Amino acid sequence: MKATETPLLERFWYPVMPLQMLEDGPKPFRLLGKDIVLWIDGEGRPSALEDRCCHRTAKLSKGFYANGMLACGYHGWEFNAEGTVMRVPQRPVDKQGRTNMRVPAYHCVGRYGYAWVALAEPLFDIPDFEEEAEGCRRIDEFYEVWQCAGLRVMENSFDNAHFAFVHRASFGDQGHPEPAKLEVEEYEDGFLFRSEVPVRNPAAQKELLKMESDTTVRHMRARWYAPFLRKLRITYPNGLVHTIVTGATPIDDRSSQIVQFVYRNDTEEEAPAAKVIAFDRQVTEEDREILESTDWDVPLDQTGLEMNMPSDRPGVVMRRQLLQLIEKHGGNTRQAAE
Ligand code: FES
Ligand SMILES: [Fe+2]
């Protein structure tokens, strides 16, 4: 699947940038091969516009904030959140006001501390995370580019067969390579995966979990939200909840913007955020190292280009569900939405 040649992918919400990064001015982002500018208007609303001024094509991400609007850095035309030119500074004062000139605007909202963007009418809502209602603390972990396809990141996080190998230096147990059993419950926009995985409990984790034993069991409840978002809720036997939200936002065919934050039901005193991040850093680096070596063009149909084993079922279901969504909603929907 080439992300930029799959119009269906424009119809999903993606976390693209921490809102904090937009406080001091507009920032560029490439989403599905399209250059957009992200910014925050005078009412604090994030907005996503085409990163190309309708006057002389300068990148609006090189502009600045003025009068609650986004001013182009070239001649200062001012755009509102919908992309309409509201002020041309060169005009006399009595000729100012809304114009009929505009740049394309995309769906954009702020949620969980990030600007989320959909390039065309979204098929599904941004998920509600139960951890918010439970009062868990949120820790922002990673915001970085990986040179691999989003689907590889997604199937990896539902892959019980890789822990013993990819994570042999952290929590994987090479003595037990048999993958834990799993259940998959399908929804229209993805699936819920349940599994109980026995793992090693290395020193760094013993401290974070407040557990002395050398092994533990991860009760994993993971939700895949098509196409590139997953929420993995891990509950340890002592009641600790560690939920990892990972987005693999498609930059282009070959690279993904990794957005990762976690929810925990303990306190900063019990497990300092820096230590939580450090442990997940090691695990994430182990995944990244191997995932960046995979083919970026993931075949959705199972025609023998890649072999499977039973534990690959979540990844196989992902491919089938994406194919079904393409069949149902395919075609170029961008023009219709604009
Ligand atoms: S190029 Fe943007 S105002 Fe002239
Ligand atoms: Fe992994």
Side-chain angles (χ1 to χ4, degrees):
M1 177 173 71
K2 286 189 178 159
T4 62
E5 292 174 16
T6 311
L8 176 84
L9 296 181
E10 299 186 351
R11 301 195 60 188
F12 296 93
W13 286 107
Y14 300 104
V16 293
M17 198 174 284
L19 291 168
Q20 239 179 6
M21 281 177 62
L22 304 176
E23 282 170 7
D24 62 347
K27 298 285 173 331
F29 191 85
R30 181 166 293 164
L31 181 61
L32 288 164
K34 185 184 288 290
D35 287 324
I36 61 176
V37 55
L38 291 153
W39 64 289
I40 295 181
D41 77 359
E43 278 144 50
R45 288 183 304 169
S47 156
L49 306 176
E50 185 175 74
D51 197 6
R52 178 181 178 277
C53 182
C54 54
H55 179 218
R56 286 296 178 270
T57 79
K59 284 203 181 303
L60 291 173
S61 54
K62 292 197 174 295
F64 56 94
Y65 295 163
N67 307 310
M69 288 186 271
L70 173 59
C72 177
Y74 198 171
H75 308 93
W77 289 18
E78 290 172 19
F79 297 79
N80 68 9
E82 285 73 47
T84 301
V85 177
M86 300 300 286
R87 185 168 174 267
V88 175
Q90 291 78 4
R91 287 182 178 169
V93 181
D94 59 343
K95 294 269 170 12
Q96 289 299 351
R98 172 183 286 268
T99 73
N100 57 9
M101 300 184 287
R102 63 185 296 268
V103 295
Y106 306 105
H107 303 267
C108 183
V109 296
R111 196 94 190 260
Y112 310 127
Y114 292 83
W116 294 66
V117 176
L119 292 178
E121 194 59 35
L123 286 174
F124 307 106
D125 291 337
I126 297 172
D128 288 321
F129 296 142
E130 66 206 291
E131 288 78 3
E132 291 276 334
E134 290 170 0
C136 288
R137 61 182 167 135
R138 198 187 76 225
I139 303 168
D140 290 315
E141 288 200 321
F142 313 126
Y143 183 73
E144 60 201 22
V145 178
W146 287 17
Q147 299 304 327
C148 68
L151 208 49
R152 299 286 185 198
V153 181
M154 291 295 109
E155 69 178 353
N156 167 260
S157 53
F158 295 90
D159 173 5
N160 279 349
H162 83 286
F163 303 130
F165 305 97
V166 169
H167 302 299
R168 56 191 179 275
S170 53
F171 67 89
D173 185 350
Q174 260 189 304
H176 295 95
E178 323 79 32
K181 286 204 181 60
L182 60 94
E183 286 170 37
V184 174
E185 189 179 317
E186 293 190 45
Y187 298 97
E188 205 194 340
D189 66 340
F191 59 68
L192 176 68
F193 156 107
R194 287 195 203 88
S195 191
E196 300 198 355
V197 183
V199 292
R200 280 196 305 120
N201 199 19
Q205 182 153 275
K206 275 183 191 169
E207 194 187 335
L208 287 172
L209 296 179
K210 305 272 179 291
M211 281 170 53
E212 282 311 308
S213 58
D214 291 333
T215 58
T216 184
V217 178
R218 287 175 154 202
H219 299 266
M220 299 169 59
R221 213 182 135 83
R223 182 71 161 82
W224 171 60
Y225 301 96
F228 307 131
L229 183 69
R230 75 91 206 244
K231 191 187 79 161
L232 166 61
R233 185 177 170 109
I234 305 171
T235 310
Y236 291 96
N238 67 354
L240 176 75
V241 171
H242 181 92
T243 292
I244 309 176
V245 178
T246 306
T249 297
I251 295 173
D252 53 29
D253 293 332
R254 295 163 188 255
S255 48
S256 305
Q257 178 71 51
I258 301 298
V259 174
Q260 183 163 308
F261 53 92
V262 303
Y263 288 106
R264 306 232 338 166
N265 63 349
D266 57 2
T267 63
E268 175 68 23
E269 290 68 48
E270 288 166 329
K275 285 194 176 171
V276 173
I277 294 171
F279 182 75
D280 283 348
R281 177 85 267 172
Q282 183 186 356
V283 173
T284 304
E285 276 308 303
E286 290 165 348
D287 284 317
R288 174 192 184 136
E289 171 75 16
I290 211 82
L291 290 177
E292 288 192 334
S293 76
T294 61
D295 284 358
W296 55 270
D297 190 0
V298 184
L300 292 186
D301 53 5
Q302 297 291 304
T303 47
L305 289 167
E306 296 179 3
M307 306 292 136
N308 294 314
M309 55 184 172
S311 55
D312 292 319
R313 191 158 142 246
V316 171
V317 173
M318 277 177 197
R319 295 160 196 231
R320 171 172 49 70
Q321 285 200 352
L322 281 174
L323 273 178
Q324 284 167 345
L325 284 169
I326 289 171
E327 217 164 88
K328 189 168 171 195
H329 305 282
N332 194 342
T333 51
R334 194 189 324 149
Q335 271 122 12
E338 281 169 10

